[in-house]
Amino acid sequence: MFEGPVQRLIDELGRLPGIGQKTAQRLAFHLVTVDDADARRLGQAVLDMRDQVGFCSRCFNVAAAEECAICRDPRRDTSIVCVVERPQDIVVVERTQEFRGRYHVLGGALSPIHGVGPGQLHIDELKQRIPDEGITEIIAATNPTVEGDTTAMYLAREFKPAGVKVTRLASGLPVGGDLDYADELTLGRALVGRSEL
Amino acid sequence: MFEGPVQRLIDELGRLPGIGQKTAQRLAFHLVTVDDADARRLGQAVLDMRDQVGFCSRCFNVAAAEECAICRDPRRDTSIVCVVERPQDIVVVERTQEFRGRYHVLGGALSPIHGVGPGQLHIDELKQRIPDEGITEIIAATNPTVEGDTTAMYLAREFKPAGVKVTRLASGLPVGGDLDYADELTLGRALVGRSEL
């Protein structure tokens, strides 16, 4: 139906999360008809991002260098670490301006059903950071879901014996929701009202 | 907030029609975290498409060669031409399997308010095709909107004096809608029941 290169573009756009066949077609035809430079900038932005961006060797945040901008910032409090599931969760917590410590990205949450155990998450790396950076508090900012709660409980069981205070974001987040959709005020209040596990 | 290359990708994704800031962020972080090859295939598909795809020199459909696949097909009836606003409209008409002629893409519809007059559309090129290809009927398959109707009337006024039959898609299409959203059956019926202007 479509010329080969257009069909391939529709296929690739349709692989993106939340983009269906119809939307993929609309986007592809938009890219066919816009100015050449506009379309190429998008394609090049994807390739440049993959060329230039990786993950922070310390906290697994998105990083354009060996370490991410937050880990490189000398003004951050290194004694407190906010543990999140995904890099994009860091952005949401940063927006609250309530947190001045560092982060640690687990790369997901514990989910035995989906075969995600502690070995699949960056938990060993977090363990290593505790003596290295003198960490005294871990905030479990995993999503308020069954998996996120399970992961928070696991972190508490794992790190409290080592003398680390493990806290959980306060209620205020809609249960069963997604951290990514929380507004700044709600998430800010949840940070302030965090409770020890 | 974001690393430069990630922010640039978010900006470019956010320029796409119907993609807001939040969706652009989600898509960008998806592309940050997926397999390298998967992300790069999308970027490359955009660039390849722009390298390989242009517009048909005859009908202005999307084409990976000098002429589009439909114009190159010797089985198509050259005496009847379906005139559409945009290349993606051809796809919708083709799906009905009710039409075996060729197409002509105007590149929009007449809209004096937006400064689109006959000179901005591929109408002169259509005029040239009539003697060249022995065209006897023009189906005005512009959108069922004020602009689309105006364009259809213009085509009738322009080409009927030259002895060309100018027809309009039958009602059945929801007025004020978009050709792109019509289902095959409705559009097929509209093709069969087209009326002379």
Side-chain angles (χ1 to χ4, degrees):
Chain A
M1 179 62 81
F2 301 103
E3 297 285 349
V6 177
Q7 185 60 57
R8 280 192 290 280
L9 178 57
I10 292 170
D11 291 346
E12 292 303 331
L13 289 167
R15 269 183 238 279
L16 293 171
I19 305 289
Q21 176 67 11
K22 196 95 189 175
T23 306
Q25 275 183 31
R26 290 208 147 222
L27 295 177
F29 273 105
H30 169 80
L31 289 168
V32 168
T33 46
V34 286
D35 281 350
D36 196 54
D38 287 345
R40 284 178 189 280
R41 262 206 321 277
L42 171 61
Q44 202 57 52
V46 176
L47 299 178
D48 288 349
M49 184 276 291
R50 294 302 308 211
D51 283 339
Q52 297 165 21
V53 170
F55 295 99
C56 176
S57 62
R58 185 191 300 272
C59 77
F60 301 97
N61 184 13
V62 172
E66 167 73 13
E67 289 197 350
C68 75
I70 293 170
C71 283
R72 289 200 312 269
D73 184 347
R75 292 162 305 175
R76 306 295 296 214
D77 181 353
T78 63
S79 71
I80 180 164
V81 167
C82 180
V83 177
V84 294
E85 296 181 16
R86 302 170 306 165
Q88 49 265 59
D89 297 331
I90 293 179
V91 180
V92 199
V93 177
E94 281 294 284
R95 271 202 211 112
T96 69
Q97 303 189 309
E98 295 273 359
F99 181 70
R100 295 301 304 161
R102 281 176 171 173
Y103 292 89
H104 192 81
V105 179
L106 293 176
L110 292 174
S111 177
I113 295 168
H114 298 100
V116 181
Q120 274 73 54
L121 304 177
H122 299 301
I123 289 178
D124 280 342
E125 291 90 341
L126 177 57
K127 202 172 283 173
Q128 192 55 51
R129 289 181 63 182
I130 288 166
D132 289 0
E133 299 172 42
I135 292 166
T136 56
E137 180 177 353
I138 287 172
I139 303 176
T142 48
N143 281 325
T145 57
V146 174
E147 290 82 7
D149 287 341
T150 306
T151 309
M153 294 305 297
Y154 181 88
L155 294 174
R157 226 172 42 228
E158 198 72 8
F159 295 110
K160 276 173 78 172
V164 178
K165 186 172 164 187
V166 180
T167 54
R168 181 88 173 107
L169 290 182
S171 72
L173 296 175
V175 174
D178 195 320
L179 203 72
D180 211 31
Y181 281 116
D183 65 273
E184 287 92 308
L185 271 181
T186 307
L187 191 56
R189 219 165 293 156
L191 262 168
V192 170
R194 66 186 184 270
S195 59
E196 193 166 0
L197 291 173
Chain B
M1 180 62 82
F2 300 103
E3 297 285 351
V6 177
Q7 185 61 55
R8 279 191 290 280
L9 178 56
I10 292 171
D11 291 344
E12 291 304 330
L13 289 167
R15 268 184 240 277
L16 294 172
I19 305 289
Q21 175 68 9
K22 196 94 190 179
T23 305
Q25 274 184 32
R26 293 207 146 223
L27 295 177
F29 274 104
H30 170 81
L31 290 168
V32 168
T33 46
V34 286
D35 282 350
D36 195 53
D38 287 345
R40 283 178 191 281
R41 263 207 319 279
L42 171 60
Q44 202 56 55
V46 176
L47 298 178
D48 287 350
M49 183 277 289
R50 293 302 308 211
D51 283 339
Q52 297 165 21
V53 170
F55 295 98
C56 175
S57 61
R58 185 190 300 271
C59 77
F60 301 96
N61 185 14
V62 172
E66 168 72 14
E67 290 198 350
C68 74
I70 292 170
C71 283
R72 290 199 313 269
D73 184 347
R75 293 163 305 177
R76 306 294 296 215
D77 181 352
T78 61
S79 71
I80 179 165
V81 167
C82 180
V83 176
V84 294
E85 295 181 16
R86 302 170 307 164
Q88 48 266 57
D89 297 332
I90 292 179
V91 180
V92 199
V93 177
E94 281 295 281
R95 272 201 209 112
T96 69
Q97 302 189 312
E98 295 273 359
F99 180 70
R100 297 301 301 160
R102 281 175 170 173
Y103 292 90
H104 192 81
V105 179
L106 293 177
L110 292 175
S111 176
I113 296 166
H114 298 98
V116 181
Q120 275 74 54
L121 303 178
H122 298 302
I123 289 179
D124 280 343
E125 291 91 341
L126 176 58
K127 202 172 285 177
Q128 192 55 50
R129 288 182 64 183
I130 288 168
D132 289 0
E133 298 172 44
I135 293 167
T136 56
E137 180 177 351
I138 288 172
I139 303 176
T142 48
N143 282 325
T145 57
V146 174
E147 289 83 6
D149 287 341
T150 307
T151 310
M153 293 305 296
Y154 182 87
L155 294 175
R157 226 174 38 231
E158 198 72 8
F159 294 110
K160 277 173 79 172
V164 179
K165 186 172 164 187
V166 181
T167 56
R168 180 89 173 106
L169 289 182
S171 72
L173 297 175
V175 173
D178 194 323
L179 203 74
D180 212 31
Y181 280 115
D183 64 274
E184 286 90 311
L185 271 180
T186 307
L187 192 54
R189 219 166 295 156
L191 263 168
V192 169
R194 67 187 182 269
S195 58
E196 193 167 359
L197 291 173

